Amino acid sequence: MRVFVTGATGFIGSATVQQLLSAGHKVLGLARSEAAAKSLIAAGAAAHRGDLEDLESLRSGAAASDGVVHTGFIHDFSKFAANCETDRRAIEALGAALAGSARPLIVTSGTGILSDRPATEESVPSAGTNVIPRIASERAAAAVAARGVRVSVVRLPPSVHGDGDHGFVPLLIGMARDRQASAYVGDGENRWPAVHRLDAAQLFRLALEKGAAGARYHGVAEEGVAFRDIAGVIGRRLNVPVISKSVEDAPAHFGWFAHFAALNNPSSSQRTRELLGWQPQQAGLIADLDRPRYFEA
């Protein structure tokens, strides 16, 4: 297949590009800069200039391809709601180019929008006023499905880890270094699901090749890692105390990240493994975190 990949030079997208190329697919990667375009070409892919806010670039890239893997997202959490709205529009633009065909569209979402314990592939976000903005991605997927697009959703956990990680775990390390304490909320038994970026990349390929229209898949290698264990490794590696923060005091330590620090989101991927034959093989979160690489200043 000729696959259009958004976020193609990002942390997860770049691994997905390599996974697709290794499986014999051709890749057209979205590139928002000349440097990104050169990186894609060096990796063996073709480059398509544009970005997530350039809807015409998304439509034309999708139209020129046999399928789309949408891993792109603007990771500026100070504008989280606005970026989720950008994602909604991007998904609708991609879907418009694929409507009425059998060409697959793989959309990225997050297990964090789910309230079930543990969350499964059949879980859906609860309706109500206190809805996590990322639900916009799944609502957009449903909207394009209603227009005849063969769309499926891959939900990723809060922690996608591995070499090159610049997400939540490095953020926690930075906080602990700055505040000279590694913290958790309450008893720290709230659990984060996790997956290595290389395992996530394999899942995106499998969803593209074997996924069913309307299906939801969970890119979860570990159902739930206690947040206190994450904080413990960080504290030991930085030689700073590991402390508990009450729910009331957490925002003073974590800032906007307090919600995620308290998130209890155990999630299952049993059905995904059964349906797609996905078998994660990379190191787990704690083993991956407990290496000097994460703590090099």
Side-chain angles (χ1 to χ4, degrees), residues 17-57:
V17 167
Q18 288 302 319
Q19 178 72 210
L20 292 168
L21 291 171
S22 296
H25 299 291
K26 296 180 180 179
V27 173
L28 178 66
L30 185 66
R32 62 181 178 181
S33 69
E34 187 63 28
K38 289 179 179 178
S39 174
L40 284 166
I41 293 168
H48 179 78
R49 289 299 298 270
D51 59 50
L52 296 180
E53 295 178 295
D54 180 353
L55 301 185
E56 182 52 40
S57 74

Side-chain angles (χ1 to χ4, degrees), residues 6 12 52 70-77 79-88 90-91 106-114 125 130-142 153-158 160 168 204 259-260:
T6 70
I12 299 168
L52 296 180
H70 176 48
T71 65
F73 190 79
I74 302 172
H75 290 95
D76 178 357
F77 287 93
K79 302 176 181 177
F80 187 46
N83 293 335
C84 291
E85 176 61 16
T86 296
D87 196 55
R88 181 191 66 78
I91 292 167
I106 313 302
V107 167
T108 305
S109 180
T111 61
I113 67 174
L114 306 171
N130 190 25
V131 174
I132 296 174
R134 192 66 197 265
I135 193 176
S137 302
E138 295 203 16
R139 287 176 174 169
V153 172
V154 170
R155 291 169 174 159
L156 294 178
V160 180
F168 284 176
F204 278 109
H259 163 80
F260 295 99

